[in-house]
Amino acid sequence: GGILCTGAGSGVESCTLVNNTADRFGGGVYAESGVPVKNCIIWQNAAALGENHYTGTGGGSFSFNNTIPAAGSACITSDPDFKAAGDFRLSYSSPCVNGGTNSSWMYSSIDLLGNPRTTGSGADIGAYEIPFVHVASSGSHTPPYQTWGSAATNIEAALAAAGNGWTVIVTNGIYRSPLELMVTNALT
């Protein structure tokens, strides 16, 4: 299977567990002794019992995951909507975007691609965070511009805040710049 967690002090957080196979229990995750499993996508795994997840002695503690059948609290059971076959980053329409819960370790951490772990109102479920910034003429212009309320009020500020591969989301409005805008990062 994908991950076996059996002892106190262990846990699984912000992982993407897809296409794993176990001969007996828990194709994606086998958890016991109250091991926490949180903010994970556990999808399309295979096992004789518990194709995606299985809880052994003392059970596991599941929350804010994307899996079927539902396990624990705040579980999403719909398709995670990956970008493409074999590409386990999330699409922008994924129910996992901002679907997780923030943990204190995330504020200074990065995902598998080197993007900030927290962008938006909540962590994205799984191993990848969709990095983005907002632009709205009615925003408060508060970096890092990750909500409509704190949105940049001009495009050049959003471009300066965006990293390589980030998405700049611009709402309706008229935006004028006294400068020529130069985009040096790959943006969506």
Side-chain angles (χ1 to χ4, degrees), residues 70 72 83 95 115 131 134 163 180:
K83 279 196 146 208
N115 294 315
H134 288 94
E180 180 178 331

Side-chain angles (χ1 to χ4, degrees), residues 16-170:
T16 299
L17 303 157
V18 178
N19 298 331
N20 298 288
T21 301
D23 291 335
R24 298 179 65 198
F25 307 109
V29 174
Y30 178 101
E32 62 181 37
S33 303
V35 168
V37 179
K38 171 166 87 167
N39 285 353
C40 293
I41 297 173
I42 311 166
W43 201 257
Q44 294 180 335
N45 298 287
L49 289 171
E51 60 185 28
N52 282 314
H53 51 84
Y54 185 85
T55 54
T57 305
S61 171
F62 288 77
S63 61
F64 295 94
N65 295 298
N66 177 214
T67 190
I68 52 174
S73 63
C75 184
I76 297 171
T77 57
S78 51
D79 190 307
D81 196 14
F82 295 123
K83 279 196 146 208
D87 182 350
F88 301 118
R89 293 175 296 158
L90 302 173
S91 72
Y92 295 101
S93 59
S94 171
C96 298
V97 173
N98 294 326
T101 184
N102 293 339
S103 295
S104 60
W105 66 265
M106 294 178 172
Y107 295 104
S108 60
S109 298
I110 56 174
D111 71 1
L112 286 179
L113 293 176
N115 294 315
R117 190 59 234 186
T118 53
T119 60
S121 59
D124 292 348
I125 295 174
Y128 299 100
E129 191 77 20
I130 293 183
F132 58 89
V133 294
H134 288 94
V135 180
S137 58
S138 61
S140 67
H141 201 76
T142 307
Y145 316 124
Q146 293 174 346
T147 66
W148 288 116
S150 67
T153 55
N154 60 71
I155 294 171
E156 50 269 31
L159 291 174
N164 193 29
W166 287 41
T167 298
V168 177
I169 305 170
V170 182

Side-chain angles (χ1 to χ4, degrees), residues 158-186:
L159 291 174
N164 193 29
W166 287 41
T167 298
V168 177
I169 305 170
V170 182
T171 193
N172 296 341
I174 298 172
Y175 302 92
R176 293 189 175 91
S177 175
L179 308 169
E180 180 178 331
L181 298 177
M182 182 180 298
V183 178
T184 57
N185 291 324

